[in-house]
Amino acid sequence: MRLILRPVDSKGNILSGQNSGSWDEFIKIENLNNILFLKAQIADKNLRFCFDTGAETNVLNNSLNKSVLQTVSITRTVKLMGAGKSASEVIYGIMNNFKIGERELKNMQTIISYTDHLSDAFGTQVDGVLGFDFITRANFCINFEKGTMGIFYLNRE
């Protein structure tokens, strides 16, 4: 992964002489307190995800609609120790039926866990987190002025 910074004007247009790249699609993003959110679908349900470049894996909230959670092929469960002596069970699996923009992405690793604390911390609904397994599937161009994310998929299927 690489980061390329391009100068833009006040409307978010790349200044002349700068290569803007080639993108498969652009999706709307929301920047809320410096956290990026985007919409995607699983099982034809619209969901709101946090885009997290530091997350080791994707995460789905365990309180999502049953039709969404049933699309995950469970591979194992693990008990995680939190701060203090609290423990929680986390379900690992493969996320299916995930669609962002016009593209369906298959076989993304994910965990299913309690994430309501993210909604509380960010002050907005968070249905999941898109992390490493999502980020490694594409190159991204984030335009804060226009509120868009360009996506160039690395797997051309």
Side-chain angles (χ1 to χ4, degrees):
M1 182 184 331
R2 63 184 174 158
L3 172 66
I4 299 173
L5 302 175
R6 304 263 194 253
V8 296
D9 64 19
S10 62
K11 295 180 182 176
N13 298 312
I14 295 175
L15 296 177
S16 63
Q18 298 290 320
N19 181 3
S20 64
S22 174
W23 306 101
D24 293 315
E25 64 183 325
F26 286 89
I27 61 168
K28 288 283 188 192
I29 59 170
E30 180 183 4
N31 180 2
L32 183 61
N33 297 321
N34 296 317
I35 307 294
L36 294 184
F37 294 94
L38 51 96
K39 294 190 177 165
Q41 297 81 37
I42 300 177
D44 295 323
K45 302 285 185 201
N46 291 318
L47 303 173
R48 190 162 192 234
F49 288 89
C50 169
F51 182 75
D52 187 348
T53 59
E56 292 180 40
T57 188
N58 300 312
V59 182
L60 290 176
N61 190 328
N62 63 1
S63 66
L64 288 173
N65 185 291
K66 187 176 180 180
S67 65
V68 171
L69 296 177
Q70 287 178 335
T71 67
V72 177
S73 303
I74 298 170
T75 57
R76 68 186 193 273
T77 61
V78 176
K79 279 209 175 213
L80 293 181
M81 297 300 293
K85 296 186 185 234
S86 65
S88 62
E89 185 174 68
V90 176
I91 299 169
Y92 282 85
I94 302 297
M95 190 180 341
N96 302 297
N97 300 105
F98 178 87
K99 186 176 179 186
I100 185 161
E102 297 299 317
R103 175 72 62 103
E104 183 175 338
L105 300 178
K106 299 179 182 182
N107 300 317
M108 284 202 301
Q109 294 183 24
T110 190
I111 60 173
I112 300 173
S113 183
Y114 176 83
T115 63
D116 289 347
H117 60 285
L118 293 176
S119 295
D120 294 340
F122 297 149
T124 189
Q125 178 64 34
V126 180
D127 296 315
V129 176
L130 295 175
F132 182 77
D133 200 43
F134 172 71
I135 293 168
T136 59
R137 293 170 181 257
N139 290 328
F140 301 93
C141 172
I142 300 168
N143 189 319
F144 292 102
E145 291 296 326
K146 290 186 176 185
T148 60
M149 176 185 285
I151 303 175
F152 177 80
Y153 295 103
L154 301 176
N155 182 345
R156 306 312 294 169
E157 292 179 10

mmCIF file of all heavy atoms in Angstrom, residues 39-90:
data_model
loop_
_atom_site.group_PDB
_atom_site.id
_atom_site.type_symbol
_atom_site.label_atom_id
_atom_site.label_comp_id
_atom_site.label_asym_id
_atom_site.label_seq_id
_atom_site.Cartn_x
_atom_site.Cartn_y
_atom_site.Cartn_z
ATOM 1 N N LYS A 39 -20.787 3.361 3.068
ATOM 2 C CA LYS A 39 -21.915 2.428 3.053
ATOM 3 C C LYS A 39 -21.605 1.253 2.144
ATOM 4 O O LYS A 39 -20.955 1.407 1.106
ATOM 5 C CB LYS A 39 -23.178 3.137 2.615
ATOM 6 C CG LYS A 39 -23.593 4.178 3.624
ATOM 7 C CD LYS A 39 -24.946 4.747 3.375
ATOM 8 C CE LYS A 39 -25.221 5.715 4.521
ATOM 9 N NZ LYS A 39 -26.302 6.581 4.293
ATOM 10 N N ALA A 40 -22.057 0.100 2.563
ATOM 11 C CA ALA A 40 -21.929 -1.131 1.786
ATOM 12 C C ALA A 40 -23.165 -1.977 2.078
ATOM 13 O O ALA A 40 -23.970 -1.629 2.953
ATOM 14 C CB ALA A 40 -20.647 -1.870 2.160
ATOM 15 N N GLN A 41 -23.311 -3.051 1.340
ATOM 16 C CA GLN A 41 -24.461 -3.923 1.533
ATOM 17 C C GLN A 41 -24.000 -5.357 1.786
ATOM 18 O O GLN A 41 -23.026 -5.815 1.202
ATOM 19 C CB GLN A 41 -25.388 -3.942 0.301
ATOM 20 C CG GLN A 41 -26.024 -2.616 -0.039
ATOM 21 C CD GLN A 41 -25.103 -1.708 -0.802
ATOM 22 O OE1 GLN A 41 -24.333 -2.147 -1.637
ATOM 23 N NE2 GLN A 41 -25.141 -0.422 -0.512
ATOM 24 N N ILE A 42 -24.736 -6.022 2.645
ATOM 25 C CA ILE A 42 -24.608 -7.466 2.846
ATOM 26 C C ILE A 42 -26.027 -7.992 2.886
ATOM 27 O O ILE A 42 -26.871 -7.457 3.605
ATOM 28 C CB ILE A 42 -23.872 -7.833 4.146
ATOM 29 C CG1 ILE A 42 -22.457 -7.259 4.146
ATOM 30 C CG2 ILE A 42 -23.840 -9.351 4.328
ATOM 31 C CD1 ILE A 42 -21.678 -7.501 5.427
ATOM 32 N N ALA A 43 -26.292 -9.038 2.102
ATOM 33 C CA ALA A 43 -27.635 -9.623 2.037
ATOM 34 C C ALA A 43 -28.672 -8.549 1.724
ATOM 35 O O ALA A 43 -29.747 -8.519 2.324
ATOM 36 C CB ALA A 43 -27.973 -10.380 3.326
ATOM 37 N N ASP A 44 -28.337 -7.632 0.823
ATOM 38 C CA ASP A 44 -29.213 -6.544 0.394
ATOM 39 C C ASP A 44 -29.613 -5.591 1.515
ATOM 40 O O ASP A 44 -30.567 -4.834 1.386
ATOM 41 C CB ASP A 44 -30.464 -7.094 -0.295
ATOM 42 C CG ASP A 44 -30.139 -7.822 -1.586
ATOM 43 O OD1 ASP A 44 -29.215 -7.364 -2.293
ATOM 44 O OD2 ASP A 44 -30.780 -8.846 -1.882
ATOM 45 N N LYS A 45 -28.882 -5.614 2.621
ATOM 46 C CA LYS A 45 -29.115 -4.666 3.716
ATOM 47 C C LYS A 45 -28.045 -3.586 3.648
ATOM 48 O O LYS A 45 -26.852 -3.880 3.507
ATOM 49 C CB LYS A 45 -29.031 -5.354 5.085
ATOM 50 C CG LYS A 45 -30.004 -6.495 5.266
ATOM 51 C CD LYS A 45 -31.393 -5.981 5.488
ATOM 52 C CE LYS A 45 -32.315 -7.164 5.789
ATOM 53 N NZ LYS A 45 -33.683 -6.878 5.556
ATOM 54 N N ASN A 46 -28.449 -2.321 3.723
ATOM 55 C CA ASN A 46 -27.511 -1.207 3.726
ATOM 56 C C ASN A 46 -26.880 -1.078 5.108
ATOM 57 O O ASN A 46 -27.596 -0.992 6.110
ATOM 58 C CB ASN A 46 -28.208 0.093 3.351
ATOM 59 C CG ASN A 46 -28.641 0.096 1.907
ATOM 60 O OD1 ASN A 46 -27.906 -0.340 1.034
ATOM 61 N ND2 ASN A 46 -29.837 0.575 1.652
ATOM 62 N N LEU A 47 -25.555 -1.076 5.143
ATOM 63 C CA LEU A 47 -24.832 -1.020 6.403
ATOM 64 C C LEU A 47 -23.812 0.118 6.373
ATOM 65 O O LEU A 47 -23.327 0.507 5.319
ATOM 66 C CB LEU A 47 -24.115 -2.350 6.662
ATOM 67 C CG LEU A 47 -25.000 -3.590 6.692
ATOM 68 C CD1 LEU A 47 -24.164 -4.849 6.778
ATOM 69 C CD2 LEU A 47 -25.985 -3.522 7.845
ATOM 70 N N ARG A 48 -23.476 0.598 7.546
ATOM 71 C CA ARG A 48 -22.530 1.706 7.693
ATOM 72 C C ARG A 48 -21.246 1.185 8.339
ATOM 73 O O ARG A 48 -21.268 0.644 9.445
ATOM 74 C CB ARG A 48 -23.155 2.769 8.573
ATOM 75 C CG ARG A 48 -22.393 4.044 8.594
ATOM 76 C CD ARG A 48 -23.330 5.115 9.109
ATOM 77 N NE ARG A 48 -22.749 6.407 8.879
ATOM 78 C CZ ARG A 48 -22.574 7.293 9.821
ATOM 79 N NH1 ARG A 48 -22.969 7.042 11.052
ATOM 80 N NH2 ARG A 48 -22.033 8.446 9.543
ATOM 81 N N PHE A 49 -20.143 1.365 7.624
ATOM 82 C CA PHE A 49 -18.856 0.856 8.075
ATOM 83 C C PHE A 49 -17.890 1.990 8.356
ATOM 84 O O PHE A 49 -17.868 3.000 7.654
ATOM 85 C CB PHE A 49 -18.235 -0.056 7.012
ATOM 86 C CG PHE A 49 -18.913 -1.382 6.878
ATOM 87 C CD1 PHE A 49 -19.983 -1.539 6.012
ATOM 88 C CD2 PHE A 49 -18.481 -2.472 7.612
ATOM 89 C CE1 PHE A 49 -20.618 -2.755 5.880
ATOM 90 C CE2 PHE A 49 -19.111 -3.695 7.482
ATOM 91 C CZ PHE A 49 -20.175 -3.840 6.620
ATOM 92 N N CYS A 50 -17.053 1.783 9.337
ATOM 93 C CA CYS A 50 -15.926 2.648 9.633
ATOM 94 C C CYS A 50 -14.741 2.120 8.814
ATOM 95 O O CYS A 50 -14.479 0.918 8.802
ATOM 96 C CB CYS A 50 -15.637 2.569 11.127
ATOM 97 S SG CYS A 50 -14.099 3.333 11.625
ATOM 98 N N PHE A 51 -14.047 2.987 8.105
ATOM 99 C CA PHE A 51 -12.860 2.630 7.329
ATOM 100 C C PHE A 51 -11.661 2.824 8.241
ATOM 101 O O PHE A 51 -11.346 3.949 8.627
ATOM 102 C CB PHE A 51 -12.786 3.535 6.091
ATOM 103 C CG PHE A 51 -11.637 3.257 5.168
ATOM 104 C CD1 PHE A 51 -11.653 2.149 4.334
ATOM 105 C CD2 PHE A 51 -10.555 4.117 5.113
ATOM 106 C CE1 PHE A 51 -10.601 1.909 3.462
ATOM 107 C CE2 PHE A 51 -9.510 3.885 4.236
ATOM 108 C CZ PHE A 51 -9.530 2.771 3.413
ATOM 109 N N ASP A 52 -10.993 1.722 8.614
ATOM 110 C CA ASP A 52 -9.947 1.776 9.636
ATOM 111 C C ASP A 52 -8.656 1.155 9.127
ATOM 112 O O ASP A 52 -8.525 -0.074 9.082
ATOM 113 C CB ASP A 52 -10.419 1.061 10.900
ATOM 114 C CG ASP A 52 -9.466 1.214 12.070
ATOM 115 O OD1 ASP A 52 -8.320 1.682 11.877
ATOM 116 O OD2 ASP A 52 -9.865 0.854 13.193
ATOM 117 N N THR A 53 -7.703 1.993 8.745
ATOM 118 C CA THR A 53 -6.439 1.497 8.201
ATOM 119 C C THR A 53 -5.592 0.774 9.246
ATOM 120 O O THR A 53 -4.645 0.083 8.897
ATOM 121 C CB THR A 53 -5.604 2.652 7.596
ATOM 122 O OG1 THR A 53 -5.353 3.618 8.619
ATOM 123 C CG2 THR A 53 -6.335 3.292 6.430
ATOM 124 N N GLY A 54 -5.924 0.896 10.512
ATOM 125 C CA GLY A 54 -5.172 0.220 11.568
ATOM 126 C C GLY A 54 -5.812 -1.058 12.060
ATOM 127 O O GLY A 54 -5.246 -1.756 12.906
ATOM 128 N N ALA A 55 -6.992 -1.401 11.545
ATOM 129 C CA ALA A 55 -7.689 -2.605 12.008
ATOM 130 C C ALA A 55 -7.082 -3.856 11.370
ATOM 131 O O ALA A 55 -6.889 -3.899 10.160
ATOM 132 C CB ALA A 55 -9.173 -2.518 11.678
ATOM 133 N N GLU A 56 -6.804 -4.854 12.187
ATOM 134 C CA GLU A 56 -6.213 -6.095 11.691
ATOM 135 C C GLU A 56 -7.160 -6.886 10.805
ATOM 136 O O GLU A 56 -6.726 -7.630 9.931
ATOM 137 C CB GLU A 56 -5.799 -6.993 12.858
ATOM 138 C CG GLU A 56 -4.649 -6.454 13.658
ATOM 139 C CD GLU A 56 -4.283 -7.385 14.793
ATOM 140 O OE1 GLU A 56 -4.295 -8.616 14.589
ATOM 141 O OE2 GLU A 56 -3.984 -6.876 15.878
ATOM 142 N N THR A 57 -8.437 -6.753 11.049
ATOM 143 C CA THR A 57 -9.420 -7.515 10.279
ATOM 144 C C THR A 57 -10.712 -6.714 10.184
ATOM 145 O O THR A 57 -10.880 -5.689 10.842
ATOM 146 C CB THR A 57 -9.676 -8.897 10.917
ATOM 147 O OG1 THR A 57 -10.488 -9.677 10.046
ATOM 148 C CG2 THR A 57 -10.367 -8.777 12.258
ATOM 149 N N ASN A 58 -11.608 -7.207 9.361
ATOM 150 C CA ASN A 58 -12.942 -6.619 9.271
ATOM 151 C C ASN A 58 -13.748 -7.076 10.480
ATOM 152 O O ASN A 58 -13.496 -8.147 11.046
ATOM 153 C CB ASN A 58 -13.637 -7.080 7.990
ATOM 154 C CG ASN A 58 -12.869 -6.680 6.756
ATOM 155 O OD1 ASN A 58 -12.452 -5.548 6.607
ATOM 156 N ND2 ASN A 58 -12.671 -7.626 5.852
ATOM 157 N N VAL A 59 -14.748 -6.285 10.851
ATOM 158 C CA VAL A 59 -15.593 -6.612 11.997
ATOM 159 C C VAL A 59 -17.043 -6.354 11.630
ATOM 160 O O VAL A 59 -17.358 -5.342 11.006
ATOM 161 C CB VAL A 59 -15.235 -5.748 13.236
ATOM 162 C CG1 VAL A 59 -16.094 -6.138 14.428
ATOM 163 C CG2 VAL A 59 -13.757 -5.840 13.570
ATOM 164 N N LEU A 60 -17.918 -7.273 12.017
ATOM 165 C CA LEU A 60 -19.365 -7.077 11.918
ATOM 166 C C LEU A 60 -19.950 -7.061 13.320
ATOM 167 O O LEU A 60 -19.551 -7.872 14.172
ATOM 168 C CB LEU A 60 -20.021 -8.204 11.113
ATOM 169 C CG LEU A 60 -19.743 -8.244 9.629
ATOM 170 C CD1 LEU A 60 -20.390 -9.489 9.009
ATOM 171 C CD2 LEU A 60 -20.251 -6.991 8.950
ATOM 172 N N ASN A 61 -20.900 -6.174 13.548
ATOM 173 C CA ASN A 61 -21.569 -6.099 14.834
ATOM 174 C C ASN A 61 -22.440 -7.335 15.027
ATOM 175 O O ASN A 61 -23.213 -7.705 14.141
ATOM 176 C CB ASN A 61 -22.422 -4.831 14.903
ATOM 177 C CG ASN A 61 -22.963 -4.559 16.285
ATOM 178 O OD1 ASN A 61 -23.240 -5.465 17.056
ATOM 179 N ND2 ASN A 61 -23.109 -3.294 16.597
ATOM 180 N N ASN A 62 -22.360 -7.944 16.200
ATOM 181 C CA ASN A 62 -23.124 -9.168 16.457
ATOM 182 C C ASN A 62 -24.623 -8.923 16.607
ATOM 183 O O ASN A 62 -25.396 -9.872 16.668
ATOM 184 C CB ASN A 62 -22.579 -9.915 17.673
ATOM 185 C CG ASN A 62 -22.703 -9.132 18.964
ATOM 186 O OD1 ASN A 62 -23.217 -8.017 18.995
ATOM 187 N ND2 ASN A 62 -22.200 -9.709 20.029
ATOM 188 N N SER A 63 -25.049 -7.668 16.624
ATOM 189 C CA SER A 63 -26.482 -7.383 16.739
ATOM 190 C C SER A 63 -27.124 -7.052 15.386
ATOM 191 O O SER A 63 -28.268 -6.611 15.338
ATOM 192 C CB SER A 63 -26.720 -6.245 17.730
ATOM 193 O OG SER A 63 -26.175 -5.043 17.227
ATOM 194 N N LEU A 64 -26.390 -7.292 14.294
ATOM 195 C CA LEU A 64 -26.956 -7.038 12.969
ATOM 196 C C LEU A 64 -28.081 -8.015 12.664
ATOM 197 O O LEU A 64 -28.204 -9.077 13.293
ATOM 198 C CB LEU A 64 -25.865 -7.145 11.896
ATOM 199 C CG LEU A 64 -24.846 -6.009 11.866
ATOM 200 C CD1 LEU A 64 -23.726 -6.323 10.879
ATOM 201 C CD2 LEU A 64 -25.507 -4.690 11.514
ATOM 202 N N ASN A 65 -28.856 -7.670 11.669
ATOM 203 C CA ASN A 65 -29.962 -8.506 11.210
ATOM 204 C C ASN A 65 -29.477 -9.937 10.961
ATOM 205 O O ASN A 65 -28.392 -10.153 10.438
ATOM 206 C CB ASN A 65 -30.518 -7.890 9.919
ATOM 207 C CG ASN A 65 -31.728 -8.592 9.406
ATOM 208 O OD1 ASN A 65 -31.649 -9.723 8.956
ATOM 209 N ND2 ASN A 65 -32.860 -7.913 9.461
ATOM 210 N N LYS A 66 -30.306 -10.888 11.315
ATOM 211 C CA LYS A 66 -29.966 -12.310 11.169
ATOM 212 C C LYS A 66 -29.591 -12.665 9.726
ATOM 213 O O LYS A 66 -28.673 -13.459 9.487
ATOM 214 C CB LYS A 66 -31.154 -13.163 11.634
ATOM 215 C CG LYS A 66 -30.891 -14.627 11.689
ATOM 216 C CD LYS A 66 -32.107 -15.370 12.252
ATOM 217 C CE LYS A 66 -31.838 -16.856 12.308
ATOM 218 N NZ LYS A 66 -32.989 -17.590 12.857
ATOM 219 N N SER A 67 -30.270 -12.063 8.760
ATOM 220 C CA SER A 67 -29.968 -12.367 7.352
ATOM 221 C C SER A 67 -28.548 -11.936 6.984
ATOM 222 O O SER A 67 -27.906 -12.564 6.133
ATOM 223 C CB SER A 67 -30.985 -11.709 6.418
ATOM 224 O OG SER A 67 -30.902 -10.301 6.495
ATOM 225 N N VAL A 68 -28.031 -10.890 7.630
ATOM 226 C CA VAL A 68 -26.657 -10.442 7.387
ATOM 227 C C VAL A 68 -25.679 -11.414 8.030
ATOM 228 O O VAL A 68 -24.728 -11.884 7.393
ATOM 229 C CB VAL A 68 -26.438 -9.008 7.937
ATOM 230 C CG1 VAL A 68 -24.967 -8.637 7.888
ATOM 231 C CG2 VAL A 68 -27.287 -8.010 7.172
ATOM 232 N N LEU A 69 -25.900 -11.744 9.286
ATOM 233 C CA LEU A 69 -24.968 -12.618 10.007
ATOM 234 C C LEU A 69 -24.928 -14.029 9.417
ATOM 235 O O LEU A 69 -23.884 -14.676 9.457
ATOM 236 C CB LEU A 69 -25.338 -12.660 11.486
ATOM 237 C CG LEU A 69 -25.214 -11.327 12.224
ATOM 238 C CD1 LEU A 69 -25.679 -11.454 13.660
ATOM 239 C CD2 LEU A 69 -23.797 -10.781 12.149
ATOM 240 N N GLN A 70 -26.024 -14.476 8.834
ATOM 241 C CA GLN A 70 -26.045 -15.812 8.236
ATOM 242 C C GLN A 70 -25.213 -15.909 6.964
ATOM 243 O O GLN A 70 -24.935 -17.011 6.496
ATOM 244 C CB GLN A 70 -27.481 -16.254 7.956
ATOM 245 C CG GLN A 70 -28.238 -16.602 9.210
ATOM 246 C CD GLN A 70 -29.680 -16.988 8.940
ATOM 247 O OE1 GLN A 70 -30.273 -16.597 7.934
ATOM 248 N NE2 GLN A 70 -30.246 -17.758 9.845
ATOM 249 N N THR A 71 -24.767 -14.787 6.415
ATOM 250 C CA THR A 71 -23.925 -14.826 5.217
ATOM 251 C C THR A 71 -22.461 -15.121 5.558
ATOM 252 O O THR A 71 -21.658 -15.372 4.670
ATOM 253 C CB THR A 71 -23.970 -13.494 4.438
ATOM 254 O OG1 THR A 71 -23.360 -12.468 5.211
ATOM 255 C CG2 THR A 71 -25.398 -13.132 4.074
ATOM 256 N N VAL A 72 -22.120 -15.085 6.847
ATOM 257 C CA VAL A 72 -20.741 -15.345 7.270
ATOM 258 C C VAL A 72 -20.549 -16.847 7.460
ATOM 259 O O VAL A 72 -21.306 -17.492 8.184
ATOM 260 C CB VAL A 72 -20.409 -14.598 8.576
ATOM 261 C CG1 VAL A 72 -19.002 -14.937 9.058
ATOM 262 C CG2 VAL A 72 -20.555 -13.096 8.377
ATOM 263 N N SER A 73 -19.542 -17.402 6.792
ATOM 264 C CA SER A 73 -19.173 -18.811 6.971
ATOM 265 C C SER A 73 -18.210 -18.872 8.149
ATOM 266 O O SER A 73 -17.062 -18.438 8.061
ATOM 267 C CB SER A 73 -18.492 -19.358 5.711
ATOM 268 O OG SER A 73 -19.332 -19.211 4.597
ATOM 269 N N ILE A 74 -18.688 -19.424 9.263
ATOM 270 C CA ILE A 74 -17.912 -19.446 10.506
ATOM 271 C C ILE A 74 -16.784 -20.466 10.400
ATOM 272 O O ILE A 74 -17.002 -21.610 10.007
ATOM 273 C CB ILE A 74 -18.822 -19.734 11.711
ATOM 274 C CG1 ILE A 74 -19.862 -18.614 11.839
ATOM 275 C CG2 ILE A 74 -18.010 -19.879 12.986
ATOM 276 C CD1 ILE A 74 -20.958 -18.883 12.836
ATOM 277 N N THR A 75 -15.572 -20.027 10.786
ATOM 278 C CA THR A 75 -14.409 -20.915 10.749
ATOM 279 C C THR A 75 -13.941 -21.316 12.138
ATOM 280 O O THR A 75 -13.404 -22.398 12.325
ATOM 281 C CB THR A 75 -13.238 -20.270 9.981
ATOM 282 O OG1 THR A 75 -12.904 -19.026 10.582
ATOM 283 C CG2 THR A 75 -13.607 -20.055 8.521
ATOM 284 N N ARG A 76 -14.133 -20.441 13.144
ATOM 285 C CA ARG A 76 -13.735 -20.785 14.515
ATOM 286 C C ARG A 76 -14.238 -19.709 15.482
ATOM 287 O O ARG A 76 -14.648 -18.644 15.062
ATOM 288 C CB ARG A 76 -12.228 -20.935 14.631
ATOM 289 C CG ARG A 76 -11.429 -19.652 14.468
ATOM 290 C CD ARG A 76 -9.919 -19.947 14.461
ATOM 291 N NE ARG A 76 -9.117 -18.772 14.596
ATOM 292 C CZ ARG A 76 -8.713 -17.993 13.610
ATOM 293 N NH1 ARG A 76 -9.068 -18.266 12.381
ATOM 294 N NH2 ARG A 76 -7.950 -16.951 13.830
ATOM 295 N N THR A 77 -14.179 -20.030 16.758
ATOM 296 C CA THR A 77 -14.473 -19.053 17.801
ATOM 297 C C THR A 77 -13.276 -18.998 18.747
ATOM 298 O O THR A 77 -12.571 -19.978 18.928
ATOM 299 C CB THR A 77 -15.740 -19.401 18.605
ATOM 300 O OG1 THR A 77 -15.551 -20.671 19.238
ATOM 301 C CG2 THR A 77 -16.961 -19.463 17.713
ATOM 302 N N VAL A 78 -13.066 -17.824 19.329
ATOM 303 C CA VAL A 78 -11.939 -17.606 20.230
ATOM 304 C C VAL A 78 -12.405 -16.724 21.368
ATOM 305 O O VAL A 78 -13.205 -15.809 21.165
ATOM 306 C CB VAL A 78 -10.770 -16.912 19.478
ATOM 307 C CG1 VAL A 78 -9.639 -16.583 20.420
ATOM 308 C CG2 VAL A 78 -10.278 -17.757 18.336
ATOM 309 N N LYS A 79 -11.905 -16.983 22.576
ATOM 310 C CA LYS A 79 -12.170 -16.081 23.704
ATOM 311 C C LYS A 79 -11.057 -15.057 23.764
ATOM 312 O O LYS A 79 -9.889 -15.401 23.762
ATOM 313 C CB LYS A 79 -12.238 -16.859 25.015
ATOM 314 C CG LYS A 79 -13.554 -17.517 25.227
ATOM 315 C CD LYS A 79 -13.852 -17.645 26.684
ATOM 316 C CE LYS A 79 -15.244 -18.216 26.759
ATOM 317 N NZ LYS A 79 -15.977 -17.760 27.853
ATOM 318 N N LEU A 80 -11.443 -13.791 23.776
ATOM 319 C CA LEU A 80 -10.478 -12.698 23.878
ATOM 320 C C LEU A 80 -10.566 -12.081 25.259
ATOM 321 O O LEU A 80 -11.652 -11.862 25.790
ATOM 322 C CB LEU A 80 -10.759 -11.624 22.837
ATOM 323 C CG LEU A 80 -10.562 -11.990 21.376
ATOM 324 C CD1 LEU A 80 -10.874 -10.791 20.495
ATOM 325 C CD2 LEU A 80 -9.152 -12.470 21.118
ATOM 326 N N MET A 81 -9.406 -11.782 25.821
ATOM 327 C CA MET A 81 -9.349 -11.120 27.122
ATOM 328 C C MET A 81 -9.278 -9.618 26.899
ATOM 329 O O MET A 81 -8.454 -9.145 26.120
ATOM 330 C CB MET A 81 -8.131 -11.583 27.915
ATOM 331 C CG MET A 81 -8.149 -13.069 28.255
ATOM 332 S SD MET A 81 -9.564 -13.554 29.249
ATOM 333 C CE MET A 81 -9.228 -12.702 30.756
ATOM 334 N N GLY A 82 -10.138 -8.906 27.574
ATOM 335 C CA GLY A 82 -10.132 -7.456 27.487
ATOM 336 C C GLY A 82 -9.354 -6.859 28.639
ATOM 337 O O GLY A 82 -8.605 -7.548 29.338
ATOM 338 N N ALA A 83 -9.539 -5.580 28.856
ATOM 339 C CA ALA A 83 -8.896 -4.918 29.985
ATOM 340 C C ALA A 83 -9.433 -5.522 31.273
ATOM 341 O O ALA A 83 -10.603 -5.863 31.377
ATOM 342 C CB ALA A 83 -9.164 -3.420 29.928
ATOM 343 N N GLY A 84 -8.586 -5.681 32.249
ATOM 344 C CA GLY A 84 -9.005 -6.308 33.493
ATOM 345 C C GLY A 84 -9.157 -7.798 33.280
ATOM 346 O O GLY A 84 -8.344 -8.441 32.640
ATOM 347 N N LYS A 85 -10.242 -8.356 33.788
ATOM 348 C CA LYS A 85 -10.453 -9.794 33.668
ATOM 349 C C LYS A 85 -11.642 -10.129 32.778
ATOM 350 O O LYS A 85 -12.116 -11.250 32.775
ATOM 351 C CB LYS A 85 -10.651 -10.398 35.062
ATOM 352 C CG LYS A 85 -9.422 -10.250 35.918
ATOM 353 C CD LYS A 85 -9.579 -10.978 37.221
ATOM 354 C CE LYS A 85 -8.362 -10.682 38.068
ATOM 355 N NZ LYS A 85 -7.705 -11.829 38.539
ATOM 356 N N SER A 86 -12.126 -9.147 32.017
ATOM 357 C CA SER A 86 -13.277 -9.407 31.165
ATOM 358 C C SER A 86 -12.859 -10.215 29.938
ATOM 359 O O SER A 86 -11.783 -10.037 29.390
ATOM 360 C CB SER A 86 -13.936 -8.091 30.741
ATOM 361 O OG SER A 86 -13.055 -7.354 29.934
ATOM 362 N N ALA A 87 -13.710 -11.128 29.551
ATOM 363 C CA ALA A 87 -13.458 -11.958 28.374
ATOM 364 C C ALA A 87 -14.696 -11.936 27.500
ATOM 365 O O ALA A 87 -15.816 -11.792 27.987
ATOM 366 C CB ALA A 87 -13.127 -13.384 28.781
ATOM 367 N N SER A 88 -14.496 -12.057 26.198
ATOM 368 C CA SER A 88 -15.630 -12.130 25.291
ATOM 369 C C SER A 88 -15.306 -13.123 24.185
ATOM 370 O O SER A 88 -14.146 -13.307 23.817
ATOM 371 C CB SER A 88 -15.957 -10.757 24.706
ATOM 372 O OG SER A 88 -14.875 -10.280 23.951
ATOM 373 N N GLU A 89 -16.348 -13.750 23.690
ATOM 374 C CA GLU A 89 -16.164 -14.699 22.610
ATOM 375 C C GLU A 89 -16.289 -13.972 21.277
ATOM 376 O O GLU A 89 -17.169 -13.147 21.080
ATOM 377 C CB GLU A 89 -17.225 -15.799 22.681
ATOM 378 C CG GLU A 89 -17.003 -16.886 21.651
ATOM 379 C CD GLU A 89 -17.968 -18.036 21.827
ATOM 380 O OE1 GLU A 89 -19.174 -17.829 21.600
ATOM 381 O OE2 GLU A 89 -17.521 -19.124 22.201
ATOM 382 N N VAL A 90 -15.363 -14.262 20.388
ATOM 383 C CA VAL A 90 -15.335 -13.661 19.072
ATOM 384 C C VAL A 90 -15.459 -14.773 18.045
ATOM 385 O O VAL A 90 -14.812 -15.809 18.159
ATOM 386 C CB VAL A 90 -14.015 -12.878 18.850
ATOM 387 C CG1 VAL A 90 -13.940 -12.330 17.440
ATOM 388 C CG2 VAL A 90 -13.895 -11.755 19.854
#
